[in-house]
CSV table of all heavy atoms in Angstrom, one decimal:
chain,number,residue,atom,x,y,z
A,89,ALA,N,-21.2,14.3,5.4
A,89,ALA,CA,-21.3,14.6,6.8
A,89,ALA,C,-22.1,13.5,7.5
A,89,ALA,O,-22.6,12.6,6.9
A,89,ALA,CB,-22.0,16.0,7.0
A,90,TYR,N,-22.1,13.6,8.8
A,90,TYR,CA,-22.9,12.6,9.6
A,90,TYR,C,-24.3,12.9,9.6
A,90,TYR,O,-24.7,14.1,9.6
A,90,TYR,CB,-22.4,12.5,11.1
A,90,TYR,CG,-22.9,11.3,11.8
A,90,TYR,CD1,-22.4,10.1,11.6
A,90,TYR,CD2,-23.9,11.5,12.7
A,90,TYR,CE1,-22.9,9.0,12.2
A,90,TYR,CE2,-24.5,10.4,13.4
A,90,TYR,CZ,-23.9,9.1,13.1
A,90,TYR,OH,-24.5,8.0,13.8
A,91,GLU,N,-25.2,11.9,9.6
A,91,GLU,CA,-26.6,12.1,9.4
A,91,GLU,C,-27.3,13.0,10.4
A,91,GLU,O,-28.2,13.8,10.0
A,91,GLU,CB,-27.3,10.8,9.3
A,91,GLU,CG,-27.1,9.9,10.5
A,91,GLU,CD,-27.7,8.5,10.3
A,91,GLU,OE1,-28.3,8.2,9.3
A,91,GLU,OE2,-27.4,7.6,11.2
A,92,GLU,N,-26.9,13.0,11.6
A,92,GLU,CA,-27.5,13.8,12.7
A,92,GLU,C,-27.0,15.2,12.7
A,92,GLU,O,-27.5,16.1,13.4
A,92,GLU,CB,-27.3,13.2,14.1
A,92,GLU,CG,-28.1,11.9,14.3
A,92,GLU,CD,-27.9,11.4,15.7
A,92,GLU,OE1,-27.8,12.2,16.6
A,92,GLU,OE2,-28.0,10.1,15.9
A,93,GLU,N,-26.1,15.6,11.8
A,93,GLU,CA,-25.6,16.9,11.7
A,93,GLU,C,-26.4,17.7,10.6
A,93,GLU,O,-26.2,18.9,10.4
A,93,GLU,CB,-24.1,16.9,11.4
A,93,GLU,CG,-23.4,18.2,11.7
A,93,GLU,CD,-23.3,18.5,13.2
A,93,GLU,OE1,-23.9,17.8,14.0
A,93,GLU,OE2,-22.5,19.4,13.5
A,94,ALA,N,-27.3,17.1,9.9
A,94,ALA,CA,-28.0,17.8,8.8
A,94,ALA,C,-28.8,19.0,9.3
A,94,ALA,O,-28.8,20.0,8.7
A,94,ALA,CB,-29.0,16.8,8.2
A,95,GLU,N,-29.4,18.9,10.5
A,95,GLU,CA,-30.1,20.0,11.1
A,95,GLU,C,-29.2,21.2,11.3
A,95,GLU,O,-29.6,22.4,10.9
A,95,GLU,CB,-30.7,19.6,12.4
A,95,GLU,CG,-31.4,20.7,13.2
A,95,GLU,CD,-31.8,20.4,14.6
A,95,GLU,OE1,-31.5,19.3,15.0
A,95,GLU,OE2,-32.4,21.2,15.3
A,96,ILE,N,-28.0,21.0,11.8
A,96,ILE,CA,-27.1,22.1,12.0
A,96,ILE,C,-26.6,22.7,10.7
A,96,ILE,O,-26.5,23.9,10.5
A,96,ILE,CB,-25.9,21.7,12.9
A,96,ILE,CG1,-26.5,21.4,14.3
A,96,ILE,CG2,-24.8,22.7,13.0
A,96,ILE,CD1,-25.5,20.8,15.3
A,97,LEU,N,-26.2,21.9,9.7
A,97,LEU,CA,-25.8,22.3,8.5
A,97,LEU,C,-26.8,23.3,7.8
A,97,LEU,O,-26.4,24.3,7.2
A,97,LEU,CB,-25.5,21.2,7.5
A,97,LEU,CG,-24.2,20.3,7.8
A,97,LEU,CD1,-24.2,19.1,6.9
A,97,LEU,CD2,-23.0,21.2,7.7
A,98,LYS,N,-28.0,22.9,7.9
A,98,LYS,CA,-29.1,23.7,7.2
A,98,LYS,C,-29.5,25.0,7.9
A,98,LYS,O,-30.1,25.9,7.3
A,98,LYS,CB,-30.3,22.8,7.0
A,98,LYS,CG,-30.2,21.7,6.1
A,98,LYS,CD,-31.4,20.9,5.8
A,98,LYS,CE,-31.8,20.1,7.1
A,98,LYS,NZ,-33.0,19.2,6.8
A,99,ASP,N,-29.2,25.2,9.2
A,99,ASP,CA,-29.7,26.3,10.0
A,99,ASP,C,-28.5,27.3,10.3
A,99,ASP,O,-27.6,27.0,11.0
A,99,ASP,CB,-30.2,25.7,11.3
A,99,ASP,CG,-31.0,26.8,12.1
A,99,ASP,OD1,-30.5,28.0,12.1
A,99,ASP,OD2,-32.1,26.5,12.6
A,100,PRO,N,-28.6,28.5,9.7
A,100,PRO,CA,-27.5,29.5,9.9
A,100,PRO,C,-27.3,29.8,11.4
A,100,PRO,O,-26.1,30.1,11.8
A,100,PRO,CB,-28.0,30.7,9.1
A,100,PRO,CG,-28.9,30.1,8.1
A,100,PRO,CD,-29.6,29.0,8.8
A,101,GLU,N,-28.3,29.8,12.2
A,101,GLU,CA,-28.1,30.1,13.6
A,101,GLU,C,-27.4,29.0,14.3
A,101,GLU,O,-26.5,29.2,15.2
A,101,GLU,CB,-29.5,30.4,14.3
A,101,GLU,CG,-30.1,31.7,13.8
A,101,GLU,CD,-31.3,32.1,14.6
A,101,GLU,OE1,-31.6,31.4,15.6
A,101,GLU,OE2,-32.0,33.1,14.2
A,102,LYS,N,-27.7,27.8,14.0
A,102,LYS,CA,-27.2,26.6,14.7
A,102,LYS,C,-25.8,26.3,14.2
A,102,LYS,O,-24.9,25.8,15.0
A,102,LYS,CB,-28.1,25.4,14.5
A,102,LYS,CG,-29.4,25.6,15.2
A,102,LYS,CD,-30.4,24.5,14.9
A,102,LYS,CE,-31.7,24.7,15.6
A,102,LYS,NZ,-32.7,23.7,15.2
A,103,ASN,N,-25.4,26.7,12.9
A,103,ASN,CA,-24.1,26.4,12.5
A,103,ASN,C,-23.1,27.5,12.7
A,103,ASN,O,-21.9,27.4,12.3
A,103,ASN,CB,-24.1,25.9,11.0
A,103,ASN,CG,-24.6,27.0,10.0
A,103,ASN,OD1,-24.3,28.2,10.2
A,103,ASN,ND2,-25.3,26.6,9.0
A,104,LEU,N,-23.6,28.6,13.2
A,104,LEU,CA,-22.8,29.8,13.6
A,104,LEU,C,-22.1,30.4,12.4
A,104,LEU,O,-21.1,31.2,12.6
A,104,LEU,CB,-21.7,29.3,14.6
A,104,LEU,CG,-22.2,28.5,15.8
A,104,LEU,CD1,-21.0,28.1,16.7
A,104,LEU,CD2,-23.2,29.3,16.6
A,105,SER,N,-22.6,30.2,11.2
A,105,SER,CA,-21.9,30.7,10.0
A,105,SER,C,-21.8,32.2,10.0
A,105,SER,O,-20.9,32.8,9.5
A,105,SER,CB,-22.6,30.2,8.8
A,105,SER,OG,-24.0,30.5,8.8
A,106,GLY,N,-22.8,32.9,10.6
A,106,GLY,CA,-22.8,34.4,10.6
A,106,GLY,C,-21.6,34.9,11.4
A,106,GLY,O,-21.2,36.1,11.2
A,107,TRP,N,-21.0,34.2,12.3
A,107,TRP,CA,-19.9,34.6,13.0
A,107,TRP,C,-18.7,34.8,12.1
A,107,TRP,O,-17.7,35.6,12.4
A,107,TRP,CB,-19.5,33.6,14.1
A,107,TRP,CG,-20.4,33.4,15.2
A,107,TRP,CD1,-21.8,33.8,15.2
A,107,TRP,CD2,-20.2,32.8,16.5
A,107,TRP,NE1,-22.3,33.5,16.4
A,107,TRP,CE2,-21.4,32.9,17.2
A,107,TRP,CE3,-19.0,32.3,17.0
A,107,TRP,CZ2,-21.4,32.4,18.5
A,107,TRP,CZ3,-19.1,31.8,18.3
A,107,TRP,CH2,-20.3,31.8,19.1
A,108,PHE,N,-18.7,34.2,10.9
A,108,PHE,CA,-17.5,34.2,10.1
A,108,PHE,C,-17.8,34.9,8.7
A,108,PHE,O,-17.0,34.7,7.8
A,108,PHE,CB,-17.1,32.7,9.8
A,108,PHE,CG,-16.9,31.9,11.1
A,108,PHE,CD1,-17.9,31.1,11.5
A,108,PHE,CD2,-15.8,32.1,11.9
A,108,PHE,CE1,-17.7,30.4,12.7
A,108,PHE,CE2,-15.6,31.4,13.1
A,108,PHE,CZ,-16.6,30.5,13.5
A,109,GLY,N,-18.8,35.7,8.7
A,109,GLY,CA,-19.2,36.4,7.5
A,109,GLY,C,-20.7,36.2,7.2
A,109,GLY,O,-21.5,36.3,8.1
A,110,GLN,N,-21.0,35.9,6.0
A,110,GLN,CA,-22.4,35.8,5.6
A,110,GLN,C,-22.9,34.5,6.1
A,110,GLN,O,-22.3,33.4,5.9
A,110,GLN,CB,-22.5,35.8,4.0
A,110,GLN,CG,-23.9,35.8,3.5
A,110,GLN,CD,-24.0,36.0,2.0
A,110,GLN,OE1,-23.1,36.3,1.4
A,110,GLN,NE2,-25.2,35.8,1.5
A,111,ALA,N,-24.1,34.6,6.7
A,111,ALA,CA,-24.8,33.4,7.2
A,111,ALA,C,-25.3,32.5,6.1
A,111,ALA,O,-25.6,33.0,5.0
A,111,ALA,CB,-25.9,33.7,8.1
A,112,TYR,N,-25.3,31.2,6.3
A,112,TYR,CA,-25.7,30.2,5.2
A,112,TYR,C,-26.2,29.0,5.8
A,112,TYR,O,-26.0,28.7,7.0
A,112,TYR,CB,-24.5,29.9,4.3
A,112,TYR,CG,-23.4,29.3,5.0
A,112,TYR,CD1,-23.4,27.9,5.3
A,112,TYR,CD2,-22.2,30.0,5.4
A,112,TYR,CE1,-22.3,27.3,5.9
A,112,TYR,CE2,-21.2,29.4,6.0
A,112,TYR,CZ,-21.2,28.0,6.3
A,112,TYR,OH,-20.2,27.5,7.0
A,113,GLY,N,-26.9,28.2,5.0
A,113,GLY,CA,-27.3,26.8,5.3
A,113,GLY,C,-27.2,26.0,4.1
A,113,GLY,O,-27.4,26.5,3.0
A,114,PHE,N,-26.9,24.7,4.2
A,114,PHE,CA,-26.8,23.9,3.0
A,114,PHE,C,-27.0,22.4,3.4
A,114,PHE,O,-26.9,22.1,4.6
A,114,PHE,CB,-25.5,24.1,2.2
A,114,PHE,CG,-24.3,23.6,3.0
A,114,PHE,CD1,-23.8,22.3,2.8
A,114,PHE,CD2,-23.6,24.4,3.9
A,114,PHE,CE1,-22.6,21.9,3.5
A,114,PHE,CE2,-22.5,24.0,4.6
A,114,PHE,CZ,-22.0,22.7,4.4
A,115,GLU,N,-27.2,21.6,2.4
A,115,GLU,CA,-27.3,20.1,2.7
A,115,GLU,C,-26.0,19.5,2.2
A,115,GLU,O,-25.5,19.8,1.1
A,115,GLU,CB,-28.5,19.6,1.9
A,115,GLU,CG,-29.8,19.9,2.5
A,115,GLU,CD,-30.4,18.8,3.3
A,115,GLU,OE1,-29.5,18.0,3.8
A,115,GLU,OE2,-31.6,18.7,3.5
A,116,ALA,N,-25.6,18.5,2.9
A,116,ALA,CA,-24.5,17.6,2.4
A,116,ALA,C,-25.1,16.8,1.2
A,116,ALA,O,-26.3,16.6,1.1
A,116,ALA,CB,-24.0,16.7,3.4
A,117,ASP,N,-24.2,16.3,0.3
A,117,ASP,CA,-24.7,15.4,-0.7
A,117,ASP,C,-25.0,14.0,-0.3
A,117,ASP,O,-26.0,13.4,-0.8
A,117,ASP,CB,-23.7,15.4,-1.9
A,117,ASP,CG,-23.4,16.7,-2.5
A,117,ASP,OD1,-24.3,17.2,-3.2
A,117,ASP,OD2,-22.3,17.3,-2.3
A,118,GLU,N,-24.3,13.6,0.7
A,118,GLU,CA,-24.5,12.3,1.3
A,118,GLU,C,-24.2,12.3,2.8
A,118,GLU,O,-23.3,13.1,3.2
A,118,GLU,CB,-23.6,11.2,0.6
A,118,GLU,CG,-23.9,11.0,-0.8
A,118,GLU,CD,-23.2,9.8,-1.4
A,118,GLU,OE1,-22.8,8.9,-0.6
A,118,GLU,OE2,-23.0,9.8,-2.6
A,119,TYR,N,-25.0,11.5,3.5
A,119,TYR,CA,-24.8,11.5,5.0
A,119,TYR,C,-24.4,10.1,5.4
A,119,TYR,O,-24.9,9.1,4.9
A,119,TYR,CB,-26.1,11.8,5.7
A,119,TYR,CG,-26.5,13.3,5.5
A,119,TYR,CD1,-27.4,13.7,4.6
A,119,TYR,CD2,-25.8,14.3,6.3
A,119,TYR,CE1,-27.7,15.1,4.4
A,119,TYR,CE2,-26.1,15.6,6.2
A,119,TYR,CZ,-27.1,16.0,5.2
A,119,TYR,OH,-27.3,17.4,5.1
A,120,PHE,N,-23.5,10.0,6.4
A,120,PHE,CA,-23.0,8.8,6.9
A,120,PHE,C,-23.8,8.3,8.1
A,120,PHE,O,-24.4,9.2,8.8
A,120,PHE,CB,-21.5,8.9,7.3
A,120,PHE,CG,-20.6,9.1,6.2
A,120,PHE,CD1,-19.8,10.3,6.2
A,120,PHE,CD2,-20.5,8.2,5.2
A,120,PHE,CE1,-18.9,10.5,5.2
A,120,PHE,CE2,-19.6,8.4,4.1
A,120,PHE,CZ,-18.8,9.5,4.1
A,121,SER,N,-23.7,7.1,8.5
A,121,SER,CA,-24.2,6.5,9.7
A,121,SER,C,-23.1,6.0,10.6
A,121,SER,O,-21.9,5.8,10.1
A,121,SER,CB,-25.2,5.4,9.4
A,121,SER,OG,-24.6,4.4,8.7
A,122,ASP,N,-23.3,5.7,11.8
A,122,ASP,CA,-22.3,5.3,12.7
A,122,ASP,C,-21.7,3.9,12.3
A,122,ASP,O,-22.4,3.0,11.9
A,122,ASP,CB,-22.8,5.2,14.2
A,122,ASP,CG,-21.8,5.0,15.2
A,122,ASP,OD1,-20.6,5.5,15.0
A,122,ASP,OD2,-22.1,4.4,16.3
A,123,ASN,N,-20.4,3.8,12.4
A,123,ASN,CA,-19.6,2.6,12.0
A,123,ASN,C,-19.6,2.3,10.5
A,123,ASN,O,-19.1,1.3,10.1
A,123,ASN,CB,-20.1,1.4,12.8
A,123,ASN,CG,-19.9,1.5,14.3
A,123,ASN,OD1,-18.8,2.0,14.7
A,123,ASN,ND2,-20.9,1.1,15.1
A,124,GLN,N,-20.2,3.2,9.7
A,124,GLN,CA,-20.1,3.0,8.3
A,124,GLN,C,-18.7,3.1,7.8
A,124,GLN,O,-17.9,3.9,8.2
A,124,GLN,CB,-21.0,4.1,7.6
A,124,GLN,CG,-21.0,3.9,6.1
A,124,GLN,CD,-22.0,4.9,5.4
A,124,GLN,OE1,-22.8,5.5,6.1
A,124,GLN,NE2,-21.8,5.1,4.1
A,125,GLU,N,-18.4,2.2,6.9
A,125,GLU,CA,-17.0,2.1,6.3
A,125,GLU,C,-17.1,2.5,4.8
A,125,GLU,O,-18.1,2.1,4.2
A,125,GLU,CB,-16.4,0.8,6.5
A,125,GLU,CG,-16.2,0.4,8.0
A,125,GLU,CD,-15.5,-0.8,8.3
A,125,GLU,OE1,-14.5,-1.2,7.5
A,125,GLU,OE2,-15.7,-1.5,9.3
A,126,PHE,N,-16.1,3.2,4.3
A,126,PHE,CA,-16.1,3.5,2.9
A,126,PHE,C,-14.7,3.8,2.4
A,126,PHE,O,-13.8,4.0,3.2
A,126,PHE,CB,-17.0,4.8,2.7
A,126,PHE,CG,-16.4,6.0,3.4
A,126,PHE,CD1,-15.6,7.0,2.7
A,126,PHE,CD2,-16.7,6.3,4.7
A,126,PHE,CE1,-15.1,8.1,3.4
A,126,PHE,CE2,-16.2,7.4,5.4
A,126,PHE,CZ,-15.4,8.3,4.7
A,127,ASP,N,-14.5,3.6,1.1
A,127,ASP,CA,-13.2,3.9,0.5
A,127,ASP,C,-13.3,5.2,-0.3
A,127,ASP,O,-14.3,5.4,-1.0
A,127,ASP,CB,-12.8,2.8,-0.4
A,127,ASP,CG,-12.5,1.5,0.3
A,127,ASP,OD1,-11.6,1.5,1.2
A,127,ASP,OD2,-13.2,0.5,0.1
A,128,MET,N,-12.3,6.0,-0.1
A,128,MET,CA,-12.3,7.3,-0.8
A,128,MET,C,-10.8,7.7,-1.0
A,128,MET,O,-10.0,7.7,-0.1
A,128,MET,CB,-12.9,8.4,0.1
A,128,MET,CG,-13.1,9.8,-0.6
A,128,MET,SD,-14.0,11.0,0.4
A,128,MET,CE,-15.6,10.3,0.3
A,129,GLY,N,-10.5,7.9,-2.3
A,129,GLY,CA,-9.1,8.3,-2.6
A,129,GLY,C,-8.1,7.2,-2.2
A,129,GLY,O,-7.0,7.5,-1.8
A,130,LYS,N,-8.5,5.9,-2.4
A,130,LYS,CA,-7.7,4.7,-2.0
A,130,LYS,C,-7.4,4.7,-0.5
A,130,LYS,O,-6.4,4.1,-0.1
A,130,LYS,CB,-6.4,4.7,-2.9
A,130,LYS,CG,-6.6,4.6,-4.4
A,130,LYS,CD,-5.4,4.5,-5.1
A,130,LYS,CE,-5.7,4.3,-6.6
A,130,LYS,NZ,-4.4,4.2,-7.4
A,131,ILE,N,-8.2,5.3,0.3
A,131,ILE,CA,-8.1,5.3,1.7
A,131,ILE,C,-9.4,4.7,2.3
A,131,ILE,O,-10.5,5.0,1.9
A,131,ILE,CB,-7.9,6.7,2.3
A,131,ILE,CG1,-6.7,7.3,1.6
A,131,ILE,CG2,-7.7,6.6,3.8
A,131,ILE,CD1,-6.6,8.8,1.8
A,132,HIS,N,-9.2,3.8,3.3
A,132,HIS,CA,-10.4,3.1,3.9
A,132,HIS,C,-10.7,3.8,5.2
A,132,HIS,O,-9.9,3.8,6.1
A,132,HIS,CB,-10.2,1.6,4.1
A,132,HIS,CG,-11.4,0.9,4.5
A,132,HIS,ND1,-12.4,0.6,3.7
A,132,HIS,CD2,-11.7,0.4,5.8
A,132,HIS,CE1,-13.3,-0.1,4.4
A,132,HIS,NE2,-13.0,-0.2,5.6
A,133,PHE,N,-11.9,4.4,5.3
A,133,PHE,CA,-12.3,5.1,6.5
A,133,PHE,C,-13.4,4.4,7.2
A,133,PHE,O,-14.2,3.7,6.6
A,133,PHE,CB,-12.8,6.5,6.1
A,133,PHE,CG,-11.7,7.5,5.7
A,133,PHE,CD1,-11.6,7.8,4.3
A,133,PHE,CD2,-10.9,8.1,6.5
A,133,PHE,CE1,-10.7,8.7,3.8
A,133,PHE,CE2,-10.0,9.1,6.1
A,133,PHE,CZ,-9.9,9.3,4.7
Side-chain angles (χ1 to χ4, degrees):
Y90 191 76
E91 56 190 355
E92 288 186 33
E93 200 71 349
E95 176 189 3
I96 290 174
L97 286 175
K98 291 185 290 186
D99 191 319
E101 291 188 7
K102 294 173 182 176
N103 64 37
L104 311 177
S105 53
W107 291 20
F108 309 99
Q110 185 174 353
Y112 61 81
F114 68 95
E115 285 263 26
D117 295 292
E118 294 188 26
Y119 290 100
F120 294 123
S121 57
D122 192 26
N123 295 318
Q124 183 173 340
E125 298 186 33
F126 64 97
D127 292 301
M128 184 177 287
K130 297 184 178 179
I131 305 162
H132 187 75
F133 291 101

